Amino acid sequence: MSFFEEHGADLKELFFESAQELLQTMNEEGMRLEQSPLDQETIRSLRRTVHTLKGDSAVCGYGEISELAHAMEDVLTPEMARSGNASMAELVLSAADVFGAMLAAYRNNTALPDANSLRLSIRKIASPGAPESGARDTSSHKKGESKEDRVARFSWTEYQQRVIDNAVSQGKKILLVTVAIDDLCPMRAAAMQLVRNVLEEAGTLLAIQPEDASAKNISIVQAAVATDADIDWLVRKCQIPAVVSDIAVRPYQAAGAGQSAERETASAAEDDEAPAVASSAAPIATASGRTGTGSAPGKLAAASSRQSAVQAAPAAPAAAAATADSILRVDVERIDTLMNLVGELIVSKSMLLQNMMEFDKHYRKDPLRTRFHDALTSQARILAELQKSVMKIRMIPVEQLFRRFPRLVRDVAKARAREVRLEISGEDTELDKSILDVIAEPLTHLLRNAVDHGIEPPAERIAHGKTEHGKLGLRAYHQGNQMVIEVSDDGRGIDRNKVVARAIESNSISRDQAAQLSEQEALDLIFHPGLRTAETITKISGRGVGMDVVETVLERLKGSVYIETRPGVGTTFYLKVPLTLAIIKALLFNAGQRLYALPLTSVIEIARVYERDFHRVDHREVLQLREHVITLLRLGKLDSKSALSSSPKKFVIVVGMNGSLFGLVVDKLVGEQELVIKGLDDHWVATDLVSGASILGDGTVVLVLNMAAVITKLGRDRGMELHSGRKGATA
């Protein structure tokens, strides 16, 4: 069984991951090319990207992608860019879309998409009028052009020559192989090893140059192999996509001038004009499988002459390979398992602390008490460091998400005839990968809506004294234990009265309810399912779906969304999500007869008040706390079986939600604690009021409240019917 047959599934999975990164790079470079059509460095970078995709797809057997990438590679030259002008950038972006569809088809084992339109676009740019220099060097393989313009000279050590001569005396068939490593191959040492493996599989490897397989600057490999295989078979065997660019194979000549030629020195090999004495009658097979009389491919000899120079100066690909070697790909499940084990350690730490408290009560003067405390303190410090380290593994820069949005904004703006400039900041801000994957969809909806509904057409912007280009901002930053993502635009803004009117028309709220709405509650109506404010329905939006996804996803993440808008000036959406969902700091408290937990990130302050300080306004219980009037919610009513406390003194936990303040009335505060959150299946807890549960050190189970759902339920019970159905819509 070959290596690929044994590890094919893993290699293909790795290919799909790396291919997505290559397509993202194509999108970014295509957009740069759109701004600077003649930027040669961008074109060269694009060609390297497509070349890598071609080679990787060929190794995995995805011929359609490899063939299309090869055709694409031929037109990615500065000369072609000058002839095709702006159409080159459009071609690159279209190719990225087609390659993406092909990857999805291969991955899901479905029918491949039609790529004829892309092939036609490539042919238009690679028209007969384009300079011939734009063609790829290796295209001569397919066209049958001769490459045998000079001989590859072999330089063996005395020991290697004796081994070869000994094999000749035994009557063995010896083939001389010259392999040129692809200029774009970043891992030369690995390429050398792959070539060695192929040659050893073909027969007995008698000699190979260079002898140091770990050398990082190899450009050409020469070998002598004792084998019964024919030349054409060996040529095909040595064709390693993205590793080998040229191959020449010929029989070994043992007598006379041929033998002396085999012993030529490296300096003679560097002389491009030296006569090809040894191979005057020796047939040579090239990478195309052709045989003929002459010399080895010119590229092979050129590579041989550059060998010493390349070894003297480390190449840029080698540096890139060194960087790549420092990155380790790990399955997410392994990291999740590690996080779960850290969570169990935290629970064990809580149990030890609980037992230590019991020990203190009974053995207050025991000398072991101090030693136990020191040991627990040391353990807590190490565990905290371990937790931070594991958490950091899960944290990745939001750049990995943000970098896909410039292409999205560009496409929507083009479809809607808008001029938009996207400004991104805070790309280095880190967030838990599990959360980053989930918020991609809501951010997509917000950006599409901002371009479609927020940014005005150029003529309208100029008429209102604005610049022709609309500005769209995407910003990320940390705020305490939360991540804040801002999506802003300098467009029309949201018309509060229009939103309320549409909500009344769609029977989402009544006129009486509309009259009692605060500014923020009115804006939050855009999240109501089915509500749409767009005048026309387009392919992009206007169907009353999309914004509901934003709030639904954020509620699931224990996050929130807040809106700021000024008609005629613009709108900003603030998305707040926790940095991680695995381990949180929480406030524990009793309400009725139950123990609950609330993420500390939701808590603004805690107040101790009397019942007489509570007032009722518009069927709502409120509390005047300094300059704020806070709506009160009694958590004891969540459990109908629990008796309400009759104590005149109450604790009020003030929390913020979508720009509004709410006060949770509880009976007793237990304290702060670090909790490991575990999800609950629906058959265990059939309510959305609880987002998870945790186990304390003494074995007590504590429920972690979903504040958005709690506020919705208790607010509805007090006449706030507005919130009962609010889940989201398109602005």
Side-chain angles (χ1 to χ4, degrees):
M1 179 181 292
S2 68
F3 177 85
F4 188 82
E5 290 173 341
E6 185 177 354
H7 302 279
D10 293 337
L11 290 175
K12 287 183 178 180
E13 190 62 33
L14 182 60
F15 163 71
F16 287 126
E17 290 181 13
S18 61
Q20 291 299 330
E21 296 175 4
L22 293 173
L23 294 187
Q24 181 59 47
T25 302
M26 281 188 66
N27 279 316
E28 293 170 358
E29 292 170 340
M31 294 184 66
R32 279 199 294 271
L33 193 63
E34 194 172 43
Q35 300 298 321
S36 305
L38 301 181
D39 187 348
Q40 295 189 17
E41 181 56 37
T42 300
I43 295 172
R44 282 194 291 268
S45 179
L46 268 167
R47 189 172 184 178
R48 287 193 296 267
T49 301
V50 174
H51 178 84
T52 302
L53 180 64
K54 178 190 75 172
D56 291 353
S57 57
V59 170
C60 293
Y62 301 137
E64 288 291 329
I65 296 179
S66 181
E67 176 192 349
L68 198 58
H70 180 80
M72 184 73 190
E73 191 179 6
D74 284 343
V75 300
L76 289 174
T77 65
E79 294 82 359
M80 290 290 184
R82 281 194 289 271
S83 63
N85 205 356
S87 60
M88 178 68 82
E90 193 67 42
L91 174 67
V92 171
L93 296 175
S94 299
D97 292 338
V98 173
F99 286 139
M102 283 183 164
L103 285 171
Y106 277 122
R107 193 165 200 168
N108 300 322
N109 294 319
T110 57
L112 289 173
D114 185 10
N116 288 330
S117 60
L118 178 60
R119 291 189 176 92
L120 180 61
S121 299
I122 293 174
R123 282 198 295 270
K124 284 182 179 179
I125 292 182
S127 59
E132 292 183 3
S133 58
R136 188 175 184 271
D137 294 339
T138 55
S139 61
S140 60
H141 292 194
K142 292 186 177 182
K143 295 178 182 179
E145 298 175 4
S146 175
K147 300 190 309 173
E148 297 102 11
D149 55 358
R150 63 178 66 107
V151 69
R153 299 163 185 83
F154 294 84
S155 177
W156 309 120
T157 65
E158 183 177 356
Y159 173 77
Q160 289 174 334
Q161 188 62 55
R162 286 181 180 178
V163 172
I164 295 173
D165 292 342
N166 185 50
V168 171
S169 65
Q170 296 176 11
K172 293 182 178 180
K173 173 186 172 183
I174 300 175
L175 298 179
L176 299 181
V177 182
T178 306
V179 175
I181 304 300
D182 197 302
D183 292 339
L184 298 177
C185 179
M187 304 179 68
R188 301 304 178 99
M192 169 74 171
Q193 187 59 46
L194 287 174
V195 172
R196 176 187 285 271
N197 292 344
V198 169
L199 296 176
E200 288 177 344
E201 185 179 345
T204 302
L205 183 59
L206 304 176
I208 189 167
Q209 288 286 356
E211 293 184 276
D212 182 8
S214 64
K216 295 182 179 180
N217 301 318
I218 301 169
S219 63
I220 190 168
V221 179
Q222 298 175 321
V225 184
T227 178
D228 293 330
D230 58 38
I231 292 178
D232 289 340
W233 180 88
L234 187 56
V235 168
R236 291 193 300 271
K237 196 71 175 175
C238 290
Q239 290 178 9
I240 307 175
V243 172
V244 174
S245 60
D246 290 289
I247 310 159
V249 181
R250 65 181 176 85
Y252 175 76
Q253 295 290 312
Q259 187 170 349
S260 64
E262 302 304 336
R263 296 178 179 177
E264 285 180 323
T265 63
S267 59
E270 291 175 3
D271 183 5
D272 290 344
E273 304 302 325
V277 179
S279 58
S280 59
I284 299 175
T286 67
S288 60
R290 297 170 60 252
T291 59
T293 302
S295 59
K299 189 169 182 180
L300 295 180
S304 178
S305 67
R306 295 193 308 265
Q307 183 79 27
S308 58
V310 171
Q311 289 174 346
T323 302
D325 288 343
S326 66
I327 299 175
L328 178 65
R329 291 179 179 270
V330 181
D331 196 318
V332 176
E333 291 184 0
R334 296 188 179 185
I335 299 176
D336 290 340
T337 300
L338 189 58
M339 178 61 82
N340 289 334
L341 292 174
V342 171
E344 295 299 327
L345 285 174
I346 291 175
V347 173
S348 298
K349 182 189 75 173
S350 299
M351 294 174 63
L352 283 173
L353 290 175
Q354 189 79 20
N355 293 332
M356 194 65 218
M357 291 172 62
E358 293 294 326
F359 184 86
D360 284 347
K361 291 178 183 179
H362 294 87
Y363 306 99
R364 189 175 299 274
K365 297 182 180 181
D366 196 307
L368 287 175
R369 176 175 169 271
T370 303
R371 294 165 65 181
F372 282 153
H373 273 293
D374 291 343
L376 284 175
T377 302
S378 176
Q379 184 215 42
R381 178 180 55 79
I382 296 172
L383 184 56
E385 290 297 324
L386 176 61
Q387 178 187 338
K388 288 179 183 178
S389 298
V390 176
M391 295 278 288
K392 196 167 183 62
I393 295 175
R394 292 173 59 99
M395 306 288 277
I396 58 176
V398 294
E399 178 191 15
Q400 296 194 18
L401 173 62
F402 283 8
R403 62 189 299 207
R404 73 177 70 169
F405 292 133
R407 171 72 192 279
L408 169 74
V409 171
R410 178 254 185 201
D411 290 347
V412 175
K414 189 174 182 180
R416 298 294 293 156
R418 305 285 200 269
E419 296 290 337
V420 183
R421 289 174 177 164
L422 177 62
E423 298 180 358
I424 297 177
S425 62
E427 306 99 310
D428 295 334
T429 310
E430 293 186 334
L431 185 65
D432 192 304
K433 185 182 185 305
S434 61
I435 299 179
L436 196 68
D437 293 340
V438 175
I439 64 172
E441 188 177 10
L443 282 177
T444 298
H445 286 296
L446 288 176
L447 290 169
R448 288 165 63 94
N449 280 351
V451 177
D452 194 22
H453 300 311
I455 303 294
E456 311 95 330
E460 183 179 336
R461 291 182 62 85
I462 294 174
H464 287 86
K466 296 183 178 182
T467 59
E468 181 182 12
H469 289 82
K471 186 172 73 173
L472 188 59
L474 184 60
R475 180 183 176 215
Y477 55 91
H478 286 154
Q479 190 177 80
N481 290 324
Q482 287 186 309
M483 159 82 82
V484 180
I485 300 177
E486 295 180 9
V487 180
S488 60
D489 67 75
D490 65 347
R492 298 189 182 98
I494 300 175
D495 188 336
R496 174 197 186 281
N497 296 328
K498 183 178 180 180
V499 173
V500 173
R502 287 295 177 90
I504 295 173
E505 289 177 11
S506 63
N507 295 321
S508 299
I509 59 172
S510 66
R511 293 187 180 275
D512 292 338
Q513 291 169 343
Q516 300 178 19
L517 292 176
S518 65
E519 186 71 19
Q520 190 61 45
E521 289 171 342
L523 293 175
D524 286 348
L525 284 170
I526 66 172
F527 297 114
H528 196 286
L531 180 70
R532 65 182 182 89
T533 59
E535 299 294 341
T536 58
I537 297 177
T538 68
K539 293 181 179 180
I540 298 170
S541 57
R543 294 175 174 79
V545 294
M547 293 294 280
D548 59 330
V549 174
V550 176
E551 193 180 49
T552 301
V553 169
L554 288 172
E555 286 182 357
R556 190 165 72 245
L557 293 175
K558 308 179 188 69
S560 61
V561 57
Y562 175 69
I563 307 170
E564 281 185 358
T565 186
R566 289 179 60 192
V569 177
T571 303
T572 301
F573 287 84
Y574 297 89
L575 280 65
K576 295 185 177 182
V577 293
L579 295 180
T580 180
L581 297 177
I583 300 173
I584 65 169
K585 288 186 177 181
L587 176 66
L588 276 61
F589 56 85
N590 287 109
Q593 303 299 318
R594 291 193 179 276
L595 179 64
Y596 297 103
L598 185 66
L600 274 177
T601 54
S602 302
V603 179
I604 296 176
E605 66 174 295
I606 301 173
R608 185 76 184 271
V609 297
Y610 289 92
E611 281 275 1
R612 63 174 179 267
D613 297 325
F614 297 166
H615 305 281
R616 190 169 293 275
V617 178
D618 292 333
H619 307 290
R620 304 182 185 183
E621 212 169 9
V622 298
L623 169 68
Q624 177 77 38
L625 186 63
R626 294 185 295 278
E627 69 275 13
H628 298 291
V629 177
I630 300 172
T631 301
L632 297 177
L633 306 172
R634 293 185 180 269
L635 290 182
K637 293 192 174 183
L638 289 177
D639 186 4
S640 58
K641 298 180 181 179
S642 298
L644 297 178
S645 172
S646 58
S647 173
K649 274 193 172 184
K650 299 289 184 182
F651 289 99
V652 176
I653 303 173
V654 181
V655 298
M657 184 65 62
N658 295 341
S660 300
L661 296 178
F662 296 89
L664 308 181
V665 182
V666 302
D667 299 324
K668 179 183 177 183
L669 295 179
V670 177
E672 299 178 10
Q673 193 164 331
E674 208 168 36
L675 300 180
V676 181
I677 306 300
K678 300 293 185 181
L680 297 174
D681 294 334
D682 291 340
H683 64 273
W684 284 103
V685 177
T687 178
D688 60 351
L689 300 178
V690 176
S691 60
S694 185
I695 302 175
L696 303 183
D698 60 357
T700 303
V701 176
V702 58
L703 300 178
V704 182
L705 293 177
N706 179 357
M707 281 312 305
V710 169
I711 291 173
T712 298
K713 175 177 173 54
L714 296 182
R716 181 178 64 236
D717 293 344
R718 280 166 169 66
M720 296 168 61
E721 292 87 351
L722 164 66
H723 295 280
S724 63
R726 183 165 60 84
K727 292 289 181 184
T730 302

